[in-house]
Amino acid sequence: MSTPPDQRPSGAPPALAGPTRRGALARLGLGAAGGALALGLDPRGGWFSRVFAADLTEAELFAKKDGLVTLNDRPLNGETPPWLMDEAFTRTSRHFVRNNGKVPARALSGDATGWTLTIDGEVKTPLTLDLAALKRYPKVEQAIVIECGGNGRVSFKPGAKGNQWTIGGVGCAVWGGARLKDVLADAGVTAKAVYLAYYGEDTHLSGDPKKVVISRGVPIAKALDDVIIAYEMNGAPLPALHGFPARLVVPGWPASTSGKWLKRLWVRDQVHDGPKMEAPSYRVPAHPVAPGETVALEDMRIIERMPVKSVISAPRSGTQITAGRAVEVRGHAWSGERAIEAVHVTTDFGATWTACDLKPARNPGAWQRWTAQITVPQQGHYEVWARATDSAGEMQPMVVPGWNPKGYLNNAMHRIALKAVDA
Ligand SMILES: Nc1nc2c(c(=O)[nH]1)N[C@H]1C(S)=C(S)[C@@H](COP(=O)(O)O)O[C@H]1N2
Ligand SMILES: [Mo]
């Protein structure tokens, strides 16, 4: 019910500010009912739907996340420590968050009344769908990895500006929604269609309503393949931080293509040129370059599929183990648009490797669980490295690969440290 402080007209009294009022109501033990009691005070009206509203600011919502590490709070960006990725699929409270602007007011309200998604451009019949209309398309539920193109950026030398992701800019939640191809079939994509662009409702940090925060997309062939317009995450309505009421989920491509808080999908007759499509955003040099080299913008190409990668989710780095006793090491592995063929681990800096047990993916686009038993010979300090290989034979590099000016696509092996003591 409260307007986030940064969206209040300047000079307006903060008397109804959420945290204070809610805090007071919570102390009275009123909880959710408190929202209803405060309705009469809500100057913005619309009170029936607001009984059910989430009514939290983006910072308050982020504070409810479980153990995420804040990389930036304006815009909000947080990553998941690897030991919190140990479950089969990433629970919402542990899924990383990457925002380029501010969470839109509609998402914070949790009220989709009045929301529509327009599909236009190179289509025979432009569509305007509300949530009920979107839900009439056959529903799919898929576990899909989304990984920020800058995941692993912290390790590039020289470094790159931007969020210093370690390994936690990735998650595999179960997304529910309509297939984009079903919606596009309804609209009838024309022969001139080249690219599918998204626009979201998020607002620019500058506060300028005319400025678009980010507007990216995918080639029409990818849009007509496996992309989902999700309105659910892990069986619940899409949360505010993750794109309420609807977002794209693009399997295997940088997560920046998975547009949140959708309002428009524009089928274009050229490669999309919205904010953050243009070089150097989400682009890498078309040919390998030396670390620190200046790369001309026209020599950069758009990142498409994400490379093969894995994470060690257990044990947590720093865990104490016992020499001579088997310890289970496990994690997940994924590769854009490909299956994982094998995962290996080493405890001797790559001299010898142990093949892991590898489970098939729940569905294409999901990460795959791997497990191994390791035993170290004597007390001391050890590292465990994990290395995934995909169905095309692409394998994770041991060191940070392919230096690039913006620090994208670091798929180096994940390493943890273990301390072994004698039995
Ligand atoms: N509208 C909109 N969509 C967006 C973004 C954004 O800032 N605005 N961030 C993108 C980026 S860079 C990433 S990595 C993913 C993050 O999705 P998540 O916050 O659900 O993990 O959303 C993408 N979709
Ligand atoms: Mo991202």
Side-chain angles (χ1 to χ4, degrees), residues 82-83 167 311-319 321 327-330 346-347 349 370 374 381-386 413-419:
W83 60 89
I167 199 164
V311 65
I312 303 169
S313 60
R316 178 176 175 168
S317 191
T319 296
I321 61 169
V327 176
E328 182 167 291
V329 178
R330 58 179 183 266
T346 180
T347 54
F349 304 93
W370 59 265
I374 59 147
H381 176 87
Y382 293 87
E383 278 193 24
V384 183
W385 305 358
M413 295 174 212
H414 185 207
R415 303 154 66 155
I416 61 159
L418 297 175
K419 181 187 164 66

XYZ file of all heavy atoms in Angstrom, residues 82-83 167 311-319 321 327-330 346-347 349 370 374 381-386 413-419:
295
model
N 27.549 -20.619 -3.542
C 27.387 -21.943 -4.162
C 26.784 -22.994 -3.226
O 26.039 -23.858 -3.671
C 28.814 -22.322 -4.589
C 29.725 -21.337 -3.957
C 28.925 -20.112 -3.648
N 27.093 -22.891 -1.914
C 26.558 -23.913 -0.996
C 25.060 -23.747 -0.772
O 24.431 -24.630 -0.217
C 27.313 -23.896 0.343
C 27.236 -22.587 1.083
C 26.280 -22.227 1.985
C 28.146 -21.491 0.995
N 26.531 -20.959 2.443
C 27.681 -20.482 1.863
C 29.311 -21.257 0.257
C 28.329 -19.258 2.006
C 29.949 -20.050 0.414
C 29.464 -19.068 1.280
N 30.475 -16.705 -8.510
C 29.910 -17.807 -9.296
C 28.393 -17.895 -9.115
O 27.727 -18.761 -9.667
C 30.592 -19.150 -8.933
C 30.349 -20.181 -10.037
C 30.171 -19.619 -7.527
C 31.258 -21.355 -9.987
N 29.092 -26.019 -10.998
C 29.286 -25.444 -9.672
C 29.371 -26.590 -8.673
O 28.721 -27.626 -8.851
C 28.146 -24.450 -9.345
C 26.800 -25.153 -9.245
C 28.425 -23.691 -8.062
N 30.226 -26.413 -7.668
C 30.309 -27.379 -6.570
C 29.420 -26.837 -5.450
O 29.724 -25.804 -4.846
C 31.765 -27.535 -6.066
C 32.700 -27.953 -7.209
C 31.830 -28.531 -4.899
C 34.198 -27.885 -6.863
N 28.306 -27.524 -5.193
C 27.350 -27.015 -4.197
C 27.561 -27.638 -2.828
O 27.034 -27.154 -1.837
C 25.918 -27.235 -4.684
O 25.666 -28.606 -4.892
N 28.307 -28.732 -2.743
C 28.642 -29.343 -1.444
C 29.926 -30.143 -1.604
O 30.123 -30.762 -2.655
C 27.515 -30.260 -0.964
N 30.818 -30.160 -0.607
C 30.687 -29.407 0.637
C 30.929 -27.912 0.405
O 31.373 -27.503 -0.667
C 31.790 -29.980 1.535
C 32.517 -31.008 0.720
C 32.024 -30.974 -0.659
N 30.633 -27.141 1.433
C 30.936 -25.719 1.397
C 32.453 -25.546 1.511
O 33.103 -26.246 2.293
C 30.241 -25.051 2.578
C 30.513 -23.578 2.690
C 29.716 -22.996 3.834
N 30.064 -21.592 4.016
C 29.385 -20.756 4.780
N 28.309 -21.182 5.427
N 29.750 -19.502 4.900
N 33.004 -24.637 0.728
C 34.445 -24.391 0.797
C 34.837 -24.090 2.241
O 34.151 -23.346 2.935
C 34.815 -23.215 -0.111
O 36.213 -23.146 -0.247
N 35.944 -24.695 2.690
C 36.405 -24.469 4.054
C 36.003 -25.568 5.021
O 36.431 -25.588 6.174
N 35.186 -26.514 4.529
C 34.718 -27.607 5.399
C 35.891 -28.485 5.845
O 36.825 -28.722 5.089
C 33.680 -28.461 4.631
O 32.547 -27.643 4.337
C 33.232 -29.684 5.430
N 37.289 -32.130 6.725
C 36.996 -33.535 6.429
C 38.046 -34.402 7.132
O 38.979 -33.885 7.743
C 36.981 -33.800 4.903
C 38.357 -33.471 4.284
C 35.894 -32.969 4.224
C 38.511 -33.951 2.850
N 34.266 -38.703 1.098
C 33.400 -37.534 1.270
C 32.632 -37.355 -0.031
O 33.209 -37.479 -1.117
C 34.238 -36.256 1.509
C 33.353 -35.028 1.602
C 35.101 -36.406 2.743
N 31.351 -37.073 0.084
C 30.581 -36.819 -1.137
C 30.746 -35.368 -1.575
O 30.566 -34.446 -0.783
C 29.096 -37.122 -0.928
C 28.301 -36.893 -2.219
C 26.904 -37.472 -2.176
O 26.779 -38.710 -2.162
O 25.943 -36.679 -2.167
N 31.108 -35.211 -2.847
C 31.188 -33.888 -3.465
C 30.095 -33.862 -4.520
O 29.894 -34.850 -5.225
C 32.568 -33.670 -4.129
C 32.641 -32.317 -4.804
C 33.679 -33.813 -3.098
N 29.349 -32.779 -4.609
C 28.277 -32.738 -5.605
C 28.001 -31.316 -6.059
O 28.439 -30.353 -5.426
C 26.999 -33.395 -5.093
C 26.471 -32.770 -3.827
C 25.173 -33.434 -3.347
N 24.721 -32.704 -2.175
C 25.014 -33.043 -0.919
N 25.709 -34.126 -0.655
N 24.600 -32.290 0.080
N 38.884 -33.276 -9.461
C 40.268 -33.560 -9.106
C 40.558 -32.997 -7.719
O 39.983 -31.966 -7.346
C 41.246 -32.948 -10.144
O 42.595 -33.246 -9.748
C 41.099 -31.444 -10.250
N 41.423 -33.695 -6.970
C 41.858 -33.173 -5.674
C 43.374 -32.956 -5.676
O 43.965 -32.664 -4.648
C 41.499 -34.143 -4.524
O 42.032 -35.442 -4.834
C 39.993 -34.237 -4.337
N 45.020 -30.884 -8.147
C 45.308 -29.783 -9.069
C 45.340 -30.231 -10.527
O 46.093 -29.717 -11.335
C 46.600 -29.061 -8.660
C 46.529 -28.563 -7.244
C 47.004 -29.318 -6.188
C 45.906 -27.346 -6.973
C 46.878 -28.879 -4.872
C 45.780 -26.896 -5.664
C 46.267 -27.663 -4.606
N 25.442 -33.743 -10.458
C 26.575 -34.672 -10.477
C 27.041 -34.922 -9.044
O 26.885 -34.068 -8.172
C 27.717 -34.154 -11.354
C 28.271 -32.815 -10.935
C 27.907 -31.595 -11.419
C 29.265 -32.564 -9.931
N 28.611 -30.602 -10.785
C 29.461 -31.176 -9.867
C 30.010 -33.392 -9.085
C 30.353 -30.589 -8.983
C 30.915 -32.808 -8.207
C 31.078 -31.416 -8.165
N 35.117 -38.566 -2.918
C 36.564 -38.318 -2.921
C 37.152 -38.745 -1.575
O 36.481 -38.695 -0.546
C 36.911 -36.841 -3.200
C 36.267 -35.913 -2.147
C 36.492 -36.418 -4.609
C 37.097 -34.701 -1.845
N 45.781 -29.436 3.483
C 44.921 -28.545 2.702
C 44.732 -29.101 1.296
O 45.704 -29.471 0.639
C 45.580 -27.159 2.628
C 44.838 -26.184 1.766
N 43.809 -25.411 2.243
C 44.970 -25.880 0.452
C 43.340 -24.659 1.257
N 44.028 -24.924 0.167
N 43.498 -29.155 0.865
C 43.193 -29.681 -0.469
C 42.274 -28.724 -1.209
O 41.513 -27.972 -0.600
C 42.509 -31.053 -0.366
C 43.442 -32.105 0.174
C 43.572 -32.298 1.549
C 44.221 -32.886 -0.689
C 44.456 -33.243 2.056
C 45.106 -33.831 -0.186
C 45.224 -34.009 1.185
O 46.094 -34.931 1.671
N 42.364 -28.807 -2.539
C 41.374 -28.128 -3.379
C 40.613 -29.185 -4.149
O 41.195 -30.202 -4.545
C 42.057 -27.193 -4.393
C 42.435 -25.854 -3.797
C 42.825 -24.828 -4.859
O 42.394 -24.955 -6.027
O 43.554 -23.889 -4.497
N 39.324 -28.921 -4.364
C 38.533 -29.746 -5.276
C 38.139 -28.864 -6.443
O 37.645 -27.747 -6.241
C 37.251 -30.298 -4.597
C 36.501 -31.215 -5.560
C 37.592 -31.035 -3.306
N 38.395 -29.341 -7.627
C 37.960 -28.646 -8.837
C 36.961 -29.538 -9.563
O 37.123 -30.755 -9.572
C 39.123 -28.407 -9.818
C 40.308 -27.687 -9.279
C 40.511 -27.172 -8.033
C 41.501 -27.417 -10.024
N 41.746 -26.599 -7.952
C 42.382 -26.726 -9.162
C 41.911 -27.669 -11.353
C 43.647 -26.297 -9.570
C 43.165 -27.246 -11.760
C 44.020 -26.562 -10.873
N 35.982 -28.922 -10.208
C 35.014 -29.680 -11.004
C 35.068 -29.207 -12.454
O 35.204 -28.012 -12.721
C 33.604 -29.489 -10.452
N 36.684 -23.590 -14.269
C 36.236 -24.567 -13.259
C 36.054 -23.917 -11.900
O 36.843 -23.072 -11.510
C 37.293 -25.663 -13.108
C 37.471 -26.499 -14.326
S 38.867 -27.623 -14.017
C 39.493 -27.764 -15.666
N 35.036 -24.365 -11.200
C 34.821 -23.913 -9.824
C 35.777 -24.686 -8.916
O 35.985 -25.878 -9.106
C 33.364 -24.175 -9.422
C 32.997 -23.647 -8.073
N 31.997 -24.189 -7.311
C 33.515 -22.625 -7.345
C 31.897 -23.513 -6.179
N 32.813 -22.555 -6.170
N 36.358 -24.008 -7.951
C 37.308 -24.641 -7.016
C 36.869 -24.362 -5.593
O 36.481 -23.249 -5.270
C 38.700 -24.032 -7.212
C 39.204 -24.166 -8.617
C 40.217 -23.086 -8.962
N 41.456 -23.204 -8.187
C 42.626 -22.728 -8.593
N 42.722 -22.141 -9.781
N 43.705 -22.837 -7.843
N 36.943 -25.375 -4.761
C 36.714 -25.168 -3.328
C 37.935 -25.701 -2.574
O 38.710 -26.487 -3.107
C 35.435 -25.868 -2.810
C 35.507 -27.391 -3.007
C 34.185 -25.297 -3.470
C 34.568 -28.170 -2.115
N 38.082 -25.264 -1.316
C 39.174 -25.735 -0.471
C 38.603 -26.589 0.657
O 37.522 -26.297 1.181
C 39.942 -24.537 0.091
N 39.308 -27.652 1.024
C 38.900 -28.506 2.147
C 40.109 -28.699 3.056
O 41.241 -28.779 2.602
C 38.425 -29.871 1.633
C 37.186 -29.882 0.743
C 36.912 -31.289 0.222
C 35.956 -29.348 1.486
N 39.828 -28.788 4.355
C 40.911 -29.038 5.326
C 40.721 -30.449 5.881
O 39.689 -30.759 6.480
C 40.822 -28.007 6.457
C 41.904 -28.151 7.523
C 41.610 -27.186 8.676
C 42.372 -27.518 9.931
N 43.816 -27.351 9.811
